[in-house]
């Protein structure tokens, strides 16, 4: 069974630590992660792999890496960009 430890710090990063089951067959890392990280897309996983956000046994891997039994996978996605600018809005208020 795979253990998934998800810690999300909404201001900084999205982290996932996955321990691969000892009976896991060889499978490309992107296909493996799409099943293990809920609510993510294959594009996001591929972007993470290409930019070094996915590590196996503390080593950055390429997209063609095949997940092996007992691998320890660490995924740290950067937080999505967000607009922190506050824009005033005119609101008509009647105060009596």
């Amino acid at each position: 069974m795979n253990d998934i430890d998800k810690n999300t710090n909404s201001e900084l990063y999205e982290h996932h630590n996955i321990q691969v089951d000892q009976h896991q067959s060889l499978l490309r890392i992107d296909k493996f992660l799409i099943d293990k990280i809920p609510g993510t897309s294959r594009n996001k996983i591929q972007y993470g792999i290409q930019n070094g956000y996915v590590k196996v046994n503390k080593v950055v891997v390429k997209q063609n890496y095949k997940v092996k039994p007992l691998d320890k996978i660490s995924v740290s996605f950067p937080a999505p960009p967000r607009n922190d600018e506050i824009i005033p809005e005119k609101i008509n208020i009647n105060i009596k």
Side-chain angles (χ1 to χ4, degrees), residues 9 11-12 14 26 29 60 68 77-78 84 89:
N9 181 338
E11 292 188 13
L12 297 176
E14 178 183 346
L26 295 178
I29 190 145
V60 173
K68 298 173 188 73
F77 293 121
D84 291 338
E89 182 179 330

Side-chain angles (χ1 to χ4, degrees), residues 17-45:
N17 294 307
I18 302 168
Q19 173 72 49
V20 179
D21 184 59
Q22 66 182 4
H23 302 292
Q24 174 67 43
S25 59
L26 295 178
L27 184 64
R28 274 186 33 183
I29 190 145
D30 56 344
K31 290 183 179 185
F32 177 82
L33 290 175
I34 195 71
D35 292 333
K36 300 301 174 191
I37 301 175
T40 194
S41 68
R42 188 165 178 178
N43 283 343
K44 183 176 180 180
I45 289 171

Side-chain angles (χ1 to χ4, degrees):
M1 186 152 208
N2 293 318
D3 290 325
I4 299 178
D5 174 23
K6 179 181 176 189
N7 300 316
T8 303
N9 181 338
S10 61
E11 292 188 13
L12 297 176
Y13 299 97
E14 178 183 346
H15 299 282
H16 301 273
N17 294 307
I18 302 168
Q19 173 72 49
V20 179
D21 184 59
Q22 66 182 4
H23 302 292
Q24 174 67 43
S25 59
L26 295 178
L27 184 64
R28 274 186 33 183
I29 190 145
D30 56 344
K31 290 183 179 185
F32 177 82
L33 290 175
I34 195 71
D35 292 333
K36 300 301 174 191
I37 301 175
T40 194
S41 68
R42 188 165 178 178
N43 283 343
K44 183 176 180 180
I45 289 171
Q46 288 174 339
Y47 173 83
I49 293 168
Q50 291 168 355
N51 290 284
Y53 302 132
V54 177
K55 295 180 181 179
V56 177
N57 303 320
K58 300 183 181 181
V59 177
V60 173
V61 294
K62 296 185 179 184
Q63 277 184 290
N64 63 351
Y65 180 83
K66 303 266 191 212
V67 174
K68 298 173 188 73
L70 303 177
D71 275 347
K72 293 181 182 178
I73 302 171
S74 172
V75 181
S76 297
F77 293 121
R82 54 184 171 180
N83 186 356
D84 291 338
E85 182 181 359
I86 299 173
I87 301 172
E89 182 179 330
K90 182 174 177 152
I91 301 174
N92 294 326
I93 299 176
N94 279 334
I95 301 177
K96 297 182 181 184

